Every structure is written in structure tokens, then in C-alpha cells.
Amino acid sequence: MTYLIRRLEFFAITLWAALTMNFIIPRVMPGSPAEAMLVRFHGRASPQTIRTIEIALGFHTDESLLQQYGEYLWNMAHLNLGTSLTFFPSSVGKAIMVGLPWTVGLVGLSTVIAFVLGTLVGMLSAWRRGGILDGALPTVFIMVSAFPYFWIALVAILIFSFTLNWFPLGFGYDLHQHIELSWDFIGNAIWHGFLPALTIVITSIGGWILTMRNTMITTLAEDYVKMARAKGLSPVRIMFMYAGRNAILPNLTGFAMSLGFVISGAILVEIVFNYPGLGYMLLQAVNNEDFALMQGLFLLITVAVLVAVLLADFLTALLDPRTRAAD
Amino acid sequence: MLLLTACGGSSPAANVQRQAGGTVTIDNESGTTWTCDFNPYNGAVNFLSFGTVYEPLVYDNLLTDKKTPYLASAYSWSSDNKTLTVTIRSGVQWSDGQPFSADDVLFSFQLLKKNSSLDLQSAWSLLSDVQEQGTDKIVFTFQSAAVPDFYQVAAQTPIVPKHIWSTLSDPTAAVPKPVGTGPFTMSDCTPQNIKYLKNPTYWQKGLPYIQEVDYPAFTDNDPANQFLAAGNADWGGQFIPNIQTYYLNKDKTHNHYWFPPIDNINIWINQTRPLLSDKAVRQAMAFGIDRSKVSQNGEYGYEPAGNQTGVLTPTFSSWVDQSQLNKYGYKFDPNKAAQVLQAAGYTKGSDGIYADSSGKRLSFDIISISGYTDWTASLQVVAQNLKSMGIEIKEHDLNQNDYANDLYTGNYQLAYGSLSTSPGPSPFYELRNTLDSQTTADIGQIAGGDYERYKNPSVDALFDQFAASTDSAKQHQLMSQIQKSMLEDVPVIPVTEGVAWYEYSTKSIGGWPTQSDPFSAPAPWNLPDWGVTLIHLYKTS
Amino acid sequence: MIATATRPLLEIKDLSVDYLTDRGAVRAVDRVSLEVQRGEFLGVVGESGCGKSTLLYSIARLLTPPAEIASGDIWFDGHDLVSMSDSELRHYRWKQYSVVMQSAMNALNPVMNIGEQLRDAFDAHQRFTGRQITARSEELLRIVGIDPVHLRSYPHQLSGGMRQRAMIAMALAFTPELVIMDEPTSALDVVAQRSLMLKIKQLQREFGFATIFVTHDMSLVSHFSDRLAVMYAGQIVEIGETARLFAEPKHPYTVGLMRSFPSIRGELQPLAGIPGSPPDLARPPAGCRFHPRCPKVMDRCHMEEPEFYAEEGDLIRCFLFDSDA
Amino acid sequence: MSLNLVADQSRVAAPVGSRSRVLGNLARALVSNRKALTGLAVLVIFALVALLAPVIAPYPPQADLFGQILPPSAQHLLGTTGNGQDIFSQLLWGTRQSLVIAILAGAAATVISVIVGVTAAYLGGIPDHVLNLFTDVFLVIPTLPLMIVIAAYARSGGVFVIILVIVITGWSYGARQLRSQALSLRKREFLEAARVRGERNVYIILAEILPNMTSLIVANFLGAAVYAVLAAAGLQFLGLGDPNDLSWGTMLFWAENNGALLAGSPWWAIAPGLCIALLGGAFALVNYAFDEIGNPALRPVRRRRQ
Amino acid sequence: MLEMPARPRGVELIRTEGLTKHFRLGGFLSRRYLHGVDDINLSIHEDEIVALVGESGSGKSTIARLIARVYTPTAGEIFHRGRTLSSIRSHRDVLEYRGDVPMVFQDPYGSLSPVYRVSHGITRALKLHRPDLSRQGREDEAARLLEAVGLTPALDFLGKFPYQLSGGQRQRIGFAQALACRPELILADEPVSMLDVSVRIGVLNLMATLRRRERISFLYITHDIASARYVADRLLVMYAGQVAESGPVEDVLAHPKHPYTQLLLSAVPDPRAPISLPATGEVQEPPRVIDPGEGCRFRSRCPYAIEECGRVTPKLRLLRPAHEAACHVATSDLEVPRVDEGATVR
């Protein structure tokens, strides 16, 4: 229990720290929503107009910083993220909800696929030390994981979409498709997501293969694996229950964090593939000095990471009885 | 009173059999996914409804200044050119079946008066009053003689239905289901695509021919260009690098482009800064820049070189005072530039840069917008030109907001870019906003125009005289004098001419505007011209 | 199976094990020959790095790269373990012979409880019902002196002594013929160590399995083993009956070992130990491997390697006992 | 660009050798490792190119002397850019900045990792708690967005802003790794021996702990360098660098903005991308080789040749 | 070594009074404490080897680290030549104390930094504690020290790296480092437990030699009671953070008073003695002492426990000359029955 309490403690403190940073960044950065509004009105808005909009956007420049901070925390606690400047007059929450499913669907799924596949391959490659898999994979994937993935994406589009016409040019689904829960739509979305997902998977799978292979090799040298062999257990059981299960434990947190970072990790892929997710939204928020949207996205990402890490902690506690020990 | 006939304006290829039906897909990088807001008074989204769903009183062709009555069937100026009386067209219906009336027009302008943030054209900085006269007339009273202001008020302000908008609690809020008088109705909107359908009760009978318009959202140029080049869209509206290879060659028989200039891209020269306040320095810079090379390297030649009169060519060629231009002859001439500087007492330092008698070097910062890579490329040429001639300029890329703020408040030395106000159908609009000191403000205050803080009362007076006149000859004569001040004082340096990016495919759609038949400004983002373009289009196969 | 009565349970002939390193093969076990009779308790004593654990793991066929058997035979009940494939070996493992490792903390899977690990061993070899397994598991824990509630315990929840006992319980799951033990008590404190040794001996008596017991502490097995093999630098240098070996050690190394640990009883004797330190196996000394440290070194020890010489039924690898010389 | 945040146990291996011996051993081990050798060779080539760019580049890299979008030819091995610059010359010159970013950012991030990680581990107690929390916060906050925010606001600062951004966002992972190794070192008795001998903390950290962590620190630098290469490329690709700089990232940015892949000059985009991949890959290879050196279990398995 | 004449006790070097160390468990909000050692009173005199014997976790290393100032005591005080350790504050005084009371560690592989030559630790110690020595002086002294611990030729060894040495040689280097400070008392924390049997005795002999030749006292910490007997004059037996029994080695071995000492003695494997432990199912091990209450900590394993043992923590009582035990049952008149005649297996 103490373990979980300690993790919750970490969760709370980190969340607070991230929230506070979120509050500070836009206030120390040059530029203000007023400036941004100027652009919108081509320099011809009256001060009153700008003021009204500033307040609508949640900037109360006449209040003390402490007051603003209090209000900010209060709003965050109520998930009141304010109004987006970019998508004015939409609220930040609404704007985010539009992009969220796409990003989570594409990047989340590819992250999971990369992790599961990479872990399995890494496990097998360590299990068959010196085999073909083990001989070639590390080198290949060290190289591939160092590739800039937006560049792979560019080349993939050129080859598979533009020249060969195998995959669509961008978008999350066909233009005429309605967003609905039908096989037709889902199939269409998968077809559109295939190429972006592929680039994410091939550039990130290497990391998982290598880390899993390395921890697995370390684990395979453990006495309990030797013991399992001595007990005459079947190789499959040894690989999964003895070596694999122990080797995967230290990777869980890393996986959780990468899941949390799904939202932010895909900016470049989304831009290259004209994918309707959150990544591009974030870049826009920054370029437009859309602080509300920026804060909303940051909050979302941070909470996602923290929740993912917390879940990984719970999972670790579930899989590893040692963490449940008193101290 | 001038009576006008209501029609599409020109009558191109009348003998072609125009089929009804078909779909036009627009390919225009908008930088966002769609929020499905069709508020025509929201500057961020008005390009999605003004022209197709909502219409102005009069359509004024940006390129030709040809005026076509739309929701107004006729209009007339008072003798002092301060009062405009507009007759409202009868028989027009809103797309929800309600009849359109003068009430709607009055309501629309009152709405803008009440909510200044909706008044994108600052109509109420020009107007003093709007009244209804009888049942079918609206009288606009301007603050001063304002013939050119007709454009903002009558041609650039969308009219909305009173019966709907009067019930809205917040007119700045999103309008998800727009109701207008235009040729199309918004039928379906997802974050990725907007689908417009033909308005069956459109007041111009038989129009539009096209059944459906698709407007997908592109967040970045590259995917948009790929989409267009792959033949997935009919109508493009953005810069395409190396268009010959990228686009035309992909379908040589059907793919075309036409990039008519619509504004100038200037070097704004802050007249309040030391050295830059010296006319000689400004003139030397004007001589020292190889505008055609900038155009070629920065813009692939698609944006033609500017000329120092500030009058766009060929769009407004008839207004150019060619003899004056020839006299000043601001052709690329580094030697001439050097002469001008030396004559003004500048000497070249050992670093190759001129300095004044007190040793102040001619070294300036120029601000630009980051992400505008064509500008960056252009400025690389400008910097190289000027450096070899003896003036150093250093580029600073700012984000759009910071750039605008610095530009408006005069917090810069040199700035690269165009006016933030929308272009107009004659050189008057751009030049007034560039030169008229009534549009400027003190340093530190926000200026709506004349960002360079050029102050010349005689030039200001020329603009007032122009605005009070409806006589074309007189206007041309005044414009000549205005051009002279541009040439003599060099308050800004027009480097290239911004164009309406416009690519189109004739594979399945015909009726496109062309250089020989410029019935509308052709970019999908020209408002409300794109609505006019769309009613001319028809299915060919 | 008439021969079984006379045939030794385990017969090792000229077994050599190499570690393949960057600098070439290092011979960790060098031409070791051993026999273990049914029900016998054989102690194997040696200092760290003498190859005793490697020997043990090669018997259990648990060597992993870079270690591998270079030559020699291991006959278990008449079957050659060396040439067996992994799947063939599975029939012998645990049912015929089992292994108890040095540290149960490392040898027990930390994420499975004791019961699950026992169940794994059962499931690997035979179909049992859940109830049968539970019953047998509880019985096993009781045999080694642990409360059966600990079937639900995870290794880290048990004390060191209990963990080792749990592992021994596991090793007895199928009451095998041979239990190979690698210093099973070395991680324990004196009291727990003695208590566990007694338990092992008692179980061995009770179930009649043979034991190969590896340790670095020869006094530990003094009261328990039937025979004792002393290893030095990869070789067995002396092997004989335990009581005799303690009473009258023959090989100079064994003699030195006996003079290396003080006693708590009797007169306090000044002790000298053995000068020097064990050789690096990558560069073993020529001739007798012990000669650099040997107080009785002779000329021929520098050049020739001694063979085993029989002496009163025991074998000693030392020229002192070369009756031909 | 996301890191795989894994408690890499394999790294926390026994420290290797003395200072001179460490380096000697490392050098020997590196040379005998095929991955390391390949990686090092690539790095050396890039370093040479960077040094010799003025000599071997056929043209000044930024001068727009030629026709736009010329195809590859004998005069222009990779063709010309949309501005009429020689792509091959740009590629050679671009090596400089790309390499500088990788090395400086990698080194700076490593220094911070070492300071924070090792100090936390050595001091223990409350300072450790605080530093650890600090590290965790930096691990948890979204890196790329933070990078974009900082880079966007400090845009005109050029390459040093990029380096700064990479350092700020890139140190925490290494700090955590180094802390865990330092923690395992802390239990080793030679440190206690030094303390009992009367050594001061600073001496213990600098002279006793750090030399024992050489291989992990180097590995960390290599990892940070890979991260820097990719992060810089990403930022510059987004236009958040100074587009007037010349590096592979900005080349890609310009290529992308000019639609190079489709507009008839694919090499403009492919070549710098390949170079980034090669440079990142080279660092990663050497890094991986370090893993193998530090943890022999990871090395390719030898089998007896018979 | 053999002849151990009863020497007059020299000056008292170290004395502890009520020395107590508790460790907090878990995060910094935790309120659970592990009692490392509780209420330890011991003294070490000049020219004396005191052995501290106990099982792992009994707190014997904690005592060494408290005296070595690695830990600060939770309660109680340590006196060095009558001066309290807590009053030693200045860097110079602390350094001086560290020079007087150095420590030798258990793990021969961990106590030398693998990146330095073996001369490193010795020269550093000389630099810190003998600043008067020149560079040459330091080198000479280092060579002399190596010879003193039996590593000859000294110059060969000084240039070697730890990995080139055997465990026994490394441990001798450890002693040489300690000697470099010209100490009066060396804290030797299990210096032989990780060594091979054949070299252990050499290190023990070294300690004896150093005491004899250099008049250095030792606090010898070990779990091996036989080795304690071999070198030490006095013996302290620890159990669960407390001293169970203390006295002259031979007297304690001959007349163990505390039941735990008896158990310990009976468990020592000894080929020269008949086996002597009942074959019980005894699996209990010393407890980790977390927030203990009153009472004897050995009571749950003690065959003689009485009701009082559960209530009152026994204090050390003098039961024989210079021989104390902390047990309610053991008295000077009452010899606790020995368990020698337990069932023998063989």
C-alpha cells in the first residue's frame, strides 16, 4: 500500500508542478492575446473591444498574479479551459475534443502496436541468441530508430500515395465520409491511417526491440530462469512466465510514458499527413499565441502521461509482488 | 440614378452547353481543421460563407472594379458624394424560405454598429448613419465624401437575415447552420470537409450550374499541393513551388494557373528612425534592389516585380503614370544607388558599408514573418543586393502576432510585407492606406495604415479630393500626383506584387475566370468573388 | 534393468568445460571423473573459481554460453546426458534429478508465489488435478518444515532459511534419484545454516536420494557427506571418504585447507593457511596446478601434470603418492 | 522523437578500468566491435566533411548563382535548390551546424544530467527527493510541445536557441539513468572508504564517483546526441530554427517548403534526410556498442567454430 | 599469538554510552523505524582486539559505522579518549579523528576503486593525514606500508590495478590504507568473510601482527566466532541490535551465559567436534527490529523464556569476572543447562 500511496504522492506533486509551469509559461513569454486580437482586427479594434475579448479568453491582467493563479487552478480543477483564440469562439475543450479521437486512435494504436510487436520480437531475439533475428535486428533497428520520422513519412507519401497510389493522400478518412460507427467508416479510417501508423511503428519499434532484448538477456541469465530449465518446464512457459514477465517489468513505465506522450509525439506526422489530430493544433496554438489552447493541450498531455504512469505503477504492483511489500 | 442589370457580370462563351450538376473540390490551405462556424462577421471563418452563402449589396470586381448589383438592384450617390441611396432587390429569398427585405440590410449594419468586433471592414469608421427609406431603400450617410468607401460598405459587407440574427444572444458566437441568400447552402460540415449544395431557390435563376462544392481542410501547404497535383481537386489557391513540374506537367491539357497581382509586398521604411528618415537612403535602397531577381528567386517569378509607383501592373496598368516612372527610372542600378548616397554625404567604410558623417553605418534590421519562406528567400536576395551595394540589412523572423504588433506600433526599422487591410479594386485603396497620414498613429500607438509614418499634408489632400470625385479623368490625374510622391519620397519600396494564387483544372469543370476574361478575382479566398466564380463554373464531362 | 543395482547412479568421465572468451577458451573444469552411487552424499569442496559450480551445472546440463562442455561423458543411470537434446532432457529433469541453488532469492521467480512455482514443476511432467497438486505441495512444505500457508507467499516474503527450504521442497517434488546442491546454505547465518544442513541430511536419509553437495566450506559437510571431492583450479585433487579425509588429508592442498580455519574448541593452534592465491584459469601454471603454492613442491611438479594415484581406496592427484616414483 | 524511458538495467554494469585504462580499454573495445567501428567511421567522415567543407564544397553554399531546380549533373551533383543554390555544397556545409548541434547539445545535456543525477544520488535524503522530483517533472512534461513553445518565442536566436531548447528538454532522462547508477555505486565500499579517509564531498564526487561512471556518461552523451540530431531536425523542419542558418534540418525545411519531392528536385529533400539518419544512426550504433562493452552479455554470441 | 598474557589494560580509546541508531523506513512521511542498534555500551582500550560477533542484521556493522562517523547516532554518545565525538566539529579535528580511527571494509572487490592503481588510496590517506610528507616521502612510506601488510616486493604492487590482485591481496591493501593514517584503532568490518578459506588465516594473522608490532587496537567485526577466538581478547555477542553477552573470549566460549550464545556456539560446524545440535525444525532467524516493544528480543526462540522476558528488556549483568550477559534467566549461581546432549544425527 505504501508503494501506491507514494506513487499517488508523486502524481499529485508532479501534476501541481506541471500545472504551475503551465500557468507561468504564457505569462513570462512575450506577446499577449491583445496582440493576437490586433492581428485579427487588422489593427483597428478599439481598446474596449480588445479588453472584452481578453477577459473572454481568461486573461485578467488587472488582477494580482496570485489571484490569477488561484482562479487558474480553480478553472483547471473544473476542466474549464477557456476559449480558444484560434478556433474563436469555440471553447478549448470543444476544439480539443475534435482532434483527440484521431490522435489517440492513430498514434495511440501505433504506439501500442510498436510496443507489443517490439517487445515480442525483442523477447524472441534474446531467447534465440545468435539466431538470424538476433544477428540482424539490433543493427537494423538502431539505424531505423535514428531516422527522422517526418522524413520517412515524406518519402512514404511520395512512394506509396503519390506515385503508387496505394494509399490516400492525407486526411483521416474520405472527404465524403460521415463520422459514424460503421464498418465502412472504420475501414476507411484504418486505410487512411495505415501509412502514418506504419511510419510511427517502424521508427519507434526499434527502441522497444532493443530495450526488451537487453533486459531479456539480463533476465535470461538469472538463476530463476536456469531453475525453470532445470525443472524441465516447456520453453514457451519459461520464455513468457519466467524470463518475459520479469523482463517486461522495467519497461512498463517507459511504455506508459510514451502512451501519455502520444498526444504530443505526433505533431510532425500529423502535419505531413494532413491528419486531423491534436499535434497540428498545438503548433497552431503556439504560432497564434493561443494560450488557452496551449494550456489545455499541455494539461491534457501532462495528465495523460501522469495517469499512464500511475496505471503502469498499478500494473507493476499487480505483476510484481515485491513492489507491494511494506518498504 | 444608374440602373444595373442583375446577371453574372460577363457572359463568357455563351454558346457552350452548360450542364447542370457536378462537384467542384476546392484546394486551399487554411491552416486549420474546420470548426464549422459560418459566422460571416468572424474574420477567421468568413471566407467559408461570404460569397457562397451570404452576399453583399453589390459585387465589385477586385481586378476590374466592375460593379454588379447583387442584393441591391440599384444605387445612387448624392451630389456631395456623402450620401448613398440603395434600392433593395425584390424577389430574393433566404435559404430558409423567408423573404429578403430592406429590414435585413438595415439590421445587418445596425448589428455591426452595436458590435464593433464584427465590423471587419470598419464600415462604421466611414459611416455616420444608416436609415431605411420607404420599404425598399436604404440610405447610407458617410462622414465625408467617400466614393471609394462604397467598396467596403456595399461590396464587402455580408447581409444576414434579421429574423434569425435578431434572436441570437451572442452575435459573435459560432453559426453552425448558416442561412443566406447566396447560390449555395452549407449542407454538411466535418472537421475535415465542408460540403455546400446548390441553393435551389437562388435569386439568379438557373444558377449555379454546379450541384456540389467540397472544401476540404488543409493544415499545411504541402499536403494541399500534393492533393491538387494528384488531380483530387479542381481549384487551388496557394503557392506551388516550381508549378510547371509540380502541377502543369501532371496533366498538361487540363491543368492551368493564373496569378493576377492584387497588392504590393513592400519594404516598409520607418520614417521616424535616424538615417531612414533621409530620403537619399531610401532612394538608394530603391535603386539597390533587383526586384526581378527577388521575384524570380523568392517567388519563382509568380509574383511579379513591383514598381516604385505602387500601382499594381498589369492589374491597374491604366492608372500608372508611365512618364514619371520612366523619369525616376528605379531600375536595379547599384551604381546609381552609390551616387545617390555619395551625393548625400555618405562614405563607404572598410567593411563595404556606407556610413554618414558621424560614422553611423547604414545597417538595419528588417522584420518578417517566420514561416513565410518565400519572403525569407526574397529577403535573402534583397540582403545580398544591398550588401554588395553598401547597405547591410539583417532579417528577424517574428511570429505573426509580434510582427503585426511591431509593424502597427512602429517598433521597427524596416519591415517586409503587405498591408493588413484587404486590397481594393483600384490603386486608391492600397495607396491611401500606405501613404495617407490620417490612417497612421504616433509611434507606440496602433496604426491602421501608413505603418511607415509618412507625413505629407499635400498627399493627404490628394486622397480627400480623390474620394470626393466620381470623375475618372480627375481621379487619374490625382493618382498621378500621388505616384509622384511615391517616386520622389520613397516612403515604402514595393518589391514584388502579391498575387491571387489560382490553379484550376479543366478536366471536369469549365467556366473558369482567365486573364482574358477576368470576371472575378480568381482565388478561392477572394471574398466574395469566389461565390461569383462558382456560379460561372459548370460540369464539362 | 538388472544392471542398475551395480551401476553407479551417475558416472562422469573426463569431463571438461570451456568458457569461450575473447582471448580464447578458458578451461574451467578439466578432465573430471566422478561416480555417485545411489543414496550417496558426495561433497565437493573448493575455493571460489575452482570450477565446482561449473561442474555441477554441466551435470545438470544448465550451462549457458559462453560456457560449454568441451569433452567427456556424463552417464545418468546408464543414459548419456551430454548428447541428449533439450526435449529429451526434459524427461529426466526434476523427475530423475533436481537442482537446489545457492541463493533461493535469485533462483525463485520473484513474481510467482511458491505454490505457483511448485505447480509449474508438476504441470511440466505429469497431468495432476489441482487438488492433487495442492495436497502434494502442502505435504512437501511440511516435510521441509514450513507452514503450508506459505504456498501463497512470494519469495521475498520468506526469510532466507525458509526460501532455501522451499527450494528444497520443490526439488523433492518427484522424489528424484539425485539432488544437486550448489552451496544451498552459504547465504544463511550460522544457526540457520546448521539447522538446514540437518534437515537436508534427514531428508536424504528419509527419501534415499543421492546428493552432490558443493561448498567452499569443508567443515560444513564434515558430518554429513559420505565422500568428499576436493577441487583446485578446475581439477579434482583428492577424493575419498569424508572421515578419512578429515582425519588424514593427503594432498598438500587439502592439508593446507585443513590448517586454514580455526576451531572454537580445544587448544588454540597457530594456523598458517596456504600462501599465495589460486591461479587464473586463463593462464594455469604448467605442471601441477598447485605447485606455486605447494610447501612440498618437487622438481617434476613444475613440468609434469600429476595423474590420480590411488591410496587406500582414495584418489590423490599428487606426485607424492606416485608409487612408481 | 519520443524517448523510450526504460530503466536500462543493462547499463548499470560494473564500471570499467582506470582513467587511462578506461580510455585505453574503451578504445580497444570500440575498435574490436563492428557496430562501433561502423558508427565511428561515419562520424569521422562527417567530422572531416565539416572541417573541410570550405575546401571540398564546389560552390559557396548560400549563393544563388544558378538556375532554379536544376537536375543533378556533373556541375551540380545533387542539382540546385529552388533559389538556385548548389545542393551538394549546402549539404557539405550543413554538416558543420548539424554536427555542432549534436555535439554541443549532447555534451551540455550530459553535463546537466551528471550534475543533477550524481549529486542527487550522492547526497541522498531531502536533496535527492527534491532533485528527483525536479527530474521527474521534466520527464513528464511534454518535450516536443515545450520545445516548440520555447523555440517559437526565442526564434531569432538561431542555432544556440535550438541547442538550449534541446538541452532543457533533454537532460532529464540521462539524469535519471546516471542517478540510478550513482546510487548503485554509492553502496560500494570504496566510496565509504574515501569518506572514512576524510575526503570532502566534492572530491568524492569528482575523483571517485565520476571516473567510475565514464562508460555510462559517454553512452549518455551519445544518446543525447542522437536525441539532439533528431530534435534539431524536427524543430528546424517545423521552421522553428533560423531558416537562414545552414544545416540539414533547415535544408529539409526549405526543401519541404518548395515541395522538393514533387517539384522535380527530390535530392534536395532526400540527401539531408539521409544525412540526418546516418548521423543519428552512427551515434546510436556507437552507443549500442557501449552497451555491449559495458554489459558483455549483450554481445553477439560466439559459437565454437568446428 | 599463542601466548596471550593478561596485559594490564591500556588507555581507553573508544567508549560508547547508550549508543542507539534507528533508521527510518520508507519515504519521508514514514514513521516506522528500524532499530539498528539500541543502547550499546562498549569500550575499546589501547593494545586490544575486541571482537563483535553476531548474525547478519544484528547491528554489528552499524556500530562500526557509528564509530567511524559514517552514521550519526540517534541517541547516546561516543567518547574518543574521553572527548565526545559530537564535539568534534572542525574539519581539522574530524580529519584527525578519522586518522586515529580508520576502517577496513568487508568486500575486497568493492573497497578499492577499480579505476585507480592500488597506490591511490594509500597516497590519498598520506596526503590527508600526513601533510608533512613530501612526494618522495609518501612514496617511500607507501612502500613501507605495503611491506608491513606483507605485500612484497612493494613497488610491484603499488603500480597494479585492483583487478590484478587476489582477494587476500586487496584486503591487505585495505589494511595498508588504514595504517597510512598512523591509527590507534582500526575498525575491521568482516575483513575476511569474503575471502577464500586458504587466505583468510593470513589476514587474521596480519591483524595479530599489527597489534603486536604497531600496538594498534582492533574492533573486529565478524559472524565467525572461531575467527574471533583466534585473534580477539574480548568478545561481544550481539543479537537483534543489542549486546547479549560480553567478556574475555575464552571465558565466554567456555562458559556461555546467554542462551543465544549457546545456540550460536552449538551451530558452528566443526569437524573436530561431534555434531551437537538437535535436529529440530528450527527455522527462526533473528528478527528485523522494527519498532520493538519492551522485552527480550530473543525470547521467541529461547527455550528458557519466562514471563518476565516478555515484559522487561534484560540489562547486561556481571555474571563472571569481566563477563556480562543480558538475560533474566542466566545467573552467576545458576548454570543454564547446556544442550550438548541433544540428538545426534550420525
Side-chain angles (χ1 to χ4, degrees), chain C:
Chain C
M1 299 293 262
I2 309 156
T4 41
T6 53
R7 193 165 60 194
L9 179 65
L10 183 76
E11 209 176 346
I12 300 169
K13 283 198 180 131
D14 280 333
L15 182 72
S16 295
V17 179
D18 284 353
Y19 280 85
L20 306 177
T21 71
D22 292 345
R23 287 172 296 169
V26 170
R27 184 139 294 190
V29 171
D30 187 29
R31 286 169 295 136
V32 164
S33 298
L34 267 183
E35 285 177 7
V36 181
Q37 305 298 329
R38 285 167 199 280
E40 188 188 25
F41 192 124
L42 173 72
V44 176
V45 175
E47 296 181 89
S48 57
C50 73
K52 55 188 190 300
S53 293
T54 309
L55 170 65
L56 189 146
Y57 285 120
S58 50
I59 297 169
R61 281 289 312 274
L62 288 175
L63 293 179
T64 44
E68 60 176 49
I69 294 175
S71 62
D73 302 310
I74 303 169
W75 297 92
F76 181 84
D77 205 8
H79 305 277
D80 182 10
L81 291 184
V82 175
S83 59
M84 267 189 213
S85 71
D86 266 347
S87 50
E88 286 169 328
L89 269 172
R90 279 187 60 201
H91 300 297
Y92 291 87
R93 288 185 157 153
W94 228 247
K95 290 197 87 166
Q96 300 293 316
Y97 68 87
S98 57
V99 180
V100 176
M101 295 197 184
Q102 184 166 11
S103 162
M105 190 66 214
N106 300 330
L108 294 175
N109 189 343
V111 300
M112 292 168 78
N113 65 32
I114 303 296
E116 285 169 338
Q117 302 195 44
L118 270 165
R119 174 182 305 268
D120 258 359
F122 286 117
D123 283 345
H125 297 284
Q126 227 169 305
R127 288 241 147 266
F128 290 106
T129 64
R131 192 162 298 166
Q132 280 173 317
I133 292 176
T134 314
R136 176 74 179 139
S137 301
E138 288 177 353
E139 185 192 346
L140 284 169
L141 287 201
R142 253 182 242 116
I143 286 173
V144 296
I146 311 180
D147 189 329
V149 299
H150 288 305
L151 279 180
R152 294 246 189 81
S153 296
Y154 289 95
H156 71 276
Q157 293 168 322
L158 303 179
S159 73
M162 280 159 83
R163 275 197 291 267
Q164 296 297 140
R165 279 167 191 249
M167 197 158 51
I168 290 168
M170 211 173 282
L172 299 182
F174 290 97
T175 43
E177 293 281 349
L178 173 67
V179 180
I180 299 169
M181 301 199 180
D182 181 17
E183 310 214 33
T185 65
S186 69
L188 303 180
D189 283 315
V190 190
V191 178
Q193 174 176 312
R194 174 49 64 114
S195 143
L196 185 62
M197 283 309 292
L198 289 167
K199 181 51 91 181
I200 290 172
K201 189 67 194 174
Q202 179 208 335
L203 293 170
Q204 196 224 348
R205 289 263 169 98
E206 204 174 319
F207 296 105
F209 53 84
T211 298
I212 303 177
F213 190 102
V214 160
T215 179
H216 65 278
D217 182 359
M218 67 190 299
S219 57
L220 183 69
V221 287
S222 58
H223 293 293
F224 300 100
S225 69
D226 300 312
R227 281 192 307 138
L228 203 56
V230 180
M231 286 190 75
Y232 183 76
Q235 296 175 324
I236 291 180
V237 294
E238 181 166 3
I239 181 165
E241 208 223 317
T242 309
R244 197 279 305 156
L245 210 128
F246 274 99
E248 193 192 335
K250 294 202 167 104
H251 194 282
Y253 176 64
T254 320
V255 175
L257 275 186
M258 292 294 288
R259 287 162 46 88
S260 292
F261 48 91
S263 169
I264 55 165
R265 294 190 176 79
E267 276 290 283
L268 197 56
Q269 305 268 340
L271 299 173
I274 307 172
S277 37
D280 177 359
L281 283 177
R283 279 160 308 199
C288 172
R289 294 187 172 189
F290 187 60
H291 86 257
R293 301 174 76 186
C294 184
K296 297 189 172 166
V297 64
M298 304 178 288
D299 283 349
R300 70 186 290 204
C301 303
H302 293 270
M303 354 276 279
E304 285 175 63
E305 262 206 275
E307 295 297 317
F308 272 122
Y309 303 102
E311 185 82 9
E312 299 166 34
D314 298 340
L315 297 170
I316 302 108
R317 198 188 274 273
C318 177
F319 289 123
L320 288 172
F321 302 89
D322 182 1
S323 45
D324 299 345

Side-chain angles (χ1 to χ4, degrees), chain A:
Chain A
M1 253 350 261
T2 23
Y3 168 75
L4 291 180
I5 288 172
R6 275 219 301 278
R7 299 314 295 169
L8 279 170
E9 212 177 279
F10 164 76
F11 178 86
I13 295 177
T14 321
L15 182 61
W16 169 79
L19 278 175
T20 304
M21 223 165 82
N22 217 350
F23 172 79
I24 295 170
I25 288 178
R27 280 163 181 83
V28 296
M29 288 295 177
S32 76
E35 272 184 23
M37 290 318 290
L38 268 179
V39 179
R40 184 173 300 274
F41 292 107
H42 306 292
R44 283 175 302 174
S46 71
Q48 286 93 326
T49 314
I50 290 175
R51 217 31 231 116
T52 331
I53 290 166
E54 249 183 4
I55 288 172
L57 292 173
F59 264 75
H60 307 274
T61 38
D62 50 346
E63 289 176 358
S64 79
L65 220 58
L66 207 67
Q67 251 176 316
Q68 291 185 46
Y69 183 57
E71 239 164 78
Y72 162 81
L73 287 183
W74 178 258
N75 283 334
M76 289 291 142
H78 292 81
L79 287 180
N80 181 0
L81 303 174
T83 305
S84 162
L85 191 64
T86 316
F87 297 100
F88 190 83
S90 276
S91 75
V92 167
K94 232 172 110 191
I96 289 178
M97 281 320 290
V98 171
L100 189 64
W102 293 103
T103 297
V104 169
L106 170 69
V107 196
L109 216 60
S110 12
T111 307
V112 172
I113 291 172
F115 176 73
V116 172
L117 220 61
T119 301
L120 277 175
V121 173
M123 213 151 100
L124 267 174
S125 130
W127 184 254
R128 315 216 161 199
R129 281 313 296 283
I132 308 166
L133 211 56
D134 187 45
L137 275 182
T139 322
V140 169
F141 278 102
I142 295 159
M143 292 299 294
V144 172
S145 57
F147 283 13
Y149 65 53
F150 57 87
W151 179 73
I152 295 197
L154 285 174
V155 176
I157 289 180
L158 175 69
I159 298 172
F160 297 110
S161 296
F162 198 86
T163 311
L164 295 175
N165 238 322
W166 291 356
F167 293 100
L169 270 169
F171 297 106
Y173 46 94
D174 260 352
L175 293 180
H176 300 280
Q177 201 90 35
H178 269 274
I179 304 179
E180 58 193 9
L181 224 66
S182 68
W183 287 116
D184 198 28
F185 174 75
I186 293 171
N188 193 270
I190 289 175
W191 187 53
H192 277 78
F194 189 85
L195 215 48
L198 190 72
T199 61
I200 295 175
V201 169
I202 61 173
T203 48
S204 60
I205 195 172
W208 298 120
I209 292 181
L210 294 181
T211 43
M212 187 60 187
R213 174 179 173 271
N214 290 3
T215 45
M216 184 80 173
I217 286 172
T218 316
T219 311
L220 282 174
E222 295 283 350
D223 279 352
Y224 53 77
V225 174
K226 216 170 235 184
M227 185 77 174
R229 285 174 60 208
K231 272 157 62 175
L233 301 190
S234 72
V236 175
R237 183 143 186 97
I238 300 177
M239 185 163 87
F240 285 100
M241 285 307 290
Y242 285 74
R245 188 169 160 189
N246 281 290
I248 209 170
L249 288 174
N251 298 2
L252 281 180
T253 310
F255 172 58
M257 295 192 74
S258 67
L259 260 190
F261 284 131
V262 154
I263 293 155
S264 69
I267 295 176
L268 291 161
V269 163
E270 288 183 4
I271 291 172
V272 174
F273 284 99
N274 200 52
Y275 206 78
L278 294 181
Y280 191 80
M281 205 178 271
L282 188 84
L283 186 65
Q284 258 186 302
V286 173
N287 281 334
N288 295 345
E289 295 184 351
D290 187 347
F291 294 122
L293 185 55
M294 218 151 56
Q295 281 179 339
L297 286 167
F298 262 73
L299 181 76
L300 182 71
I301 295 165
T302 313
V303 170
V305 175
L306 285 173
V307 168
V309 170
L310 202 64
L311 286 179
D313 288 338
F314 281 119
L315 193 63
T316 308
L318 207 68
L319 288 178
D320 187 349
R322 285 167 295 181
T323 53
R324 295 198 294 262
D327 45 63

Side-chain angles (χ1 to χ4, degrees), chain B residues 110-121:
Chain B
Q110 280 166 346
L111 184 72
L112 299 188
K113 189 176 187 181
K114 240 185 289 167
N115 300 280
S116 60
S117 67
L118 302 180
D119 190 0
L120 299 176
Q121 295 295 329

